[in-house]
Amino acid sequence: KTLDDLGEVTGKVALVRVDLNLPMKDGSATDLTRVEAVKPTILELADKGAKVLLLAHFGRPGGKRSSVLSTSFVQGDVEEVLGKEIMFIPEVAGPVVDQSIGILGNGDIGLLDNVRFWPGEEDNDPNFAQAIAAHGDFYVNDAFSAAHRAHASTEGLAHHLPAFAGRAMEAELKALDAALGNPEAPVAAVVGGAKVSTKLAVLENLVGRVQHLIIGGGMANTFLAARGVDVGKSLCEHDLTDTASKIMDEADHTGCTVHLPYDVVVAREFAANPPSLRTCNVHEVAADEMILDIGPQATEALADVLKTCRTLVWNGPLGAFETEPFDAATMTLARHVAALTQEGSLTSVAGGGDTVAALAQAGVTGDVTYVSTAGGAFLEWMEGKQLPGVAALSADNG
Ligand code: 3PG
């Protein structure tokens, strides 16, 4: 159920789970995308006259109050994005919350303190969920990026109150469904990043579901090594070459083509524009060289593959994109994806911190179909897992 299924809400208390776990530097948030994402839900409920109570976690305080992890630190950021003042409430349940609700007028917004200050949150304690639920008339979950956690505020509350997906959650689920749930074929997946070990479950899930599996980043080295390529000093998980071979065998059986680079950018040291920089065939990497990006021919070949595809899901960069010139393949791919999406031939969904940063670096964030700011939740979704926070919304008992 979505906000469209809500009846009259004037004067009712909406408990709205949002993700305000913002990236911070020196005490200030460095990116407000997560607040922007939940703005439509919050304002829609406020405009309809509900009293909106925002429920969120901030960092990992481990079930204890922490003076540095109060959600009051992001109150100003939320006010800035919403363009209105909100009331900070230093509890999540009990008389202080009751009194605050009494002070809030219809359409006003309150921000509860960090729900992870209480152990019942991460324990998904039904009594804790009930204590919070007692203050609300209905529950809205707009925090896809926390939906992989079976916590009281992400999962438990849906069993105590009528539960609805917020606008951001709705958009995220729709985009993800278009990418992997019910995609238009052919489907390509780009999986990059440093290590195979962190994305094994992702690769195992994708191999049976996509027609093209494009492997980049340090992960590609492990796959190349599995094919007998000497990758020199490159980052490589030699203990996982058998696993990589099994994934490639499985791909043969499921009609999935695994794409590995055949030219690469190498250097003897990892630094910006190092003197030893060169591009070579994967079979010509010297013992003292490391692969830091895929080469221009391989990048061009990937662009050709994407031209034949209708859907793309992308997680992880193709090379060490934070350091020039090892950003080249990732930037070129990002621009191709953006252009194909804008032409209307590709539905493109990207997620994960590095991928979001790479799209921003290429200046194409707004040109892909959907960019997910979820980290762990996006990966678990790519692993094919049912996310507890999403499952609870469809099984609401409230
Ligand atoms: C995130 O930042 O990815 C989410 O807010 C989840 O945070 P967590 O990993 O601490 O559960």
Side-chain angles (χ1 to χ4, degrees):
K1 283 187 272 181
T2 71
L3 300 191
D4 295 330
D5 302 300
L6 275 171
E8 175 61 44
V9 297
T10 309
K12 290 196 175 161
V13 177
L15 280 167
V16 184
R17 181 54 160 101
V18 289
D19 190 350
L20 300 180
N21 199 24
L22 308 181
M24 308 289 285
K25 200 169 174 212
D26 304 327
S28 307
T30 53
D31 179 28
L32 299 183
T33 311
R34 282 181 170 175
V35 191
E36 296 283 357
V38 294
K39 179 178 172 178
T41 294
I42 299 171
L43 293 186
E44 181 174 340
L45 290 167
D47 288 348
K48 286 183 176 157
K51 298 185 179 188
V52 182
L53 288 189
L54 304 179
L55 188 57
H57 74 280
F58 185 42
R60 295 178 176 168
K64 291 193 291 287
R65 269 195 195 270
S66 146
S67 56
V68 293
L69 291 176
S70 167
T71 52
S72 60
F73 288 113
V74 295
Q75 179 182 357
D77 296 314
V78 178
E79 288 178 331
E80 184 192 318
V81 171
L82 296 182
K84 59 204 278 179
E85 282 184 16
I86 63 176
M87 179 200 270
F88 176 68
I89 305 167
E91 297 287 338
V92 290
V96 172
V97 179
D98 274 335
Q99 284 154 18
S100 305
I101 292 171
I103 298 168
L104 290 175
N106 294 349
D108 284 349
I109 300 160
L111 171 63
L112 300 167
D113 211 342
N114 188 345
V115 67
R116 287 192 184 167
F117 284 172
W118 290 270
E121 166 65 357
E122 290 183 58
D123 293 346
N124 199 1
D125 176 353
N127 295 324
F128 180 66
Q130 179 51 46
I132 300 176
H135 298 287
D137 294 300
F138 61 96
Y139 165 70
V140 174
N141 190 346
D142 215 21
F144 174 83
S145 47
H148 56 317
R149 307 294 183 204
H151 293 173
S153 70
T154 58
E155 200 274 346
L157 275 176
H159 303 293
H160 295 272
L161 285 172
F164 302 85
R167 295 298 181 204
M169 173 74 92
E170 196 188 334
E172 183 106 24
L173 294 177
K174 202 170 146 210
L176 298 187
D177 190 59
L180 273 189
N182 205 3
E184 211 181 314
V187 185
V190 173
V191 185
K195 289 186 166 181
V196 172
S197 49
T198 57
K199 294 192 184 165
L200 260 185
V202 170
L203 295 169
E204 282 164 356
N205 180 44
L206 290 179
V207 88
R209 305 177 72 150
V210 303
Q211 287 70 52
H212 297 278
L213 182 56
I214 296 164
I215 301 179
M219 295 174 58
N221 303 338
T222 303
F223 278 80
L224 288 168
R227 283 197 179 160
V229 174
D230 186 348
V231 295
K233 261 200 327 182
S234 307
L235 177 70
C236 177
E237 290 166 285
H238 291 283
D239 54 328
L240 285 178
T241 50
D242 283 350
T243 310
S245 296
K246 276 195 204 118
I247 291 172
M248 289 189 282
D249 288 347
E250 174 70 13
D252 283 344
H253 291 121
T254 57
C256 168
T257 308
V258 176
H259 298 269
L260 293 174
Y262 45 81
D263 66 335
V264 284
V265 181
V266 298
R268 282 199 291 273
E269 61 280 307
F270 180 33
N273 303 302
S276 60
L277 181 75
R278 71 184 187 104
T279 299
C280 66
N281 183 285
V282 280
H283 295 286
E284 291 163 0
V285 179
D288 62 349
E289 286 179 323
M290 57 188 132
I291 302 172
L292 292 163
D293 198 9
I294 72 170
Q297 286 183 47
T299 311
E300 208 42 58
L302 295 185
D304 288 341
V305 170
L306 292 186
K307 278 185 203 146
T308 69
C309 292
R310 300 289 294 159
T311 307
L312 167 73
V313 51
W314 181 4
N315 175 265
L318 298 177
F321 79 105
E322 302 93 340
T323 308
E324 277 188 10
F326 310 114
D327 57 339
T330 306
M331 293 302 110
T332 305
L333 182 77
R335 292 189 189 110
H336 274 299
V337 169
L340 293 170
T341 308
Q342 290 306 307
E343 279 163 34
S345 70
L346 191 70
T347 297
S348 52
V349 173
D354 284 345
T355 315
V356 174
L359 290 169
Q361 193 171 313
V364 297
T365 306
D367 297 334
V368 296
T369 312
Y370 191 79
V371 180
S372 172
T373 56
F378 189 80
L379 268 191
E380 289 200 22
W381 164 77
M382 279 184 89
E383 289 171 5
K385 284 192 187 148
Q386 168 86 281
L387 306 187
V390 175
L393 280 182
S394 17
D396 116 64
N397 309 317

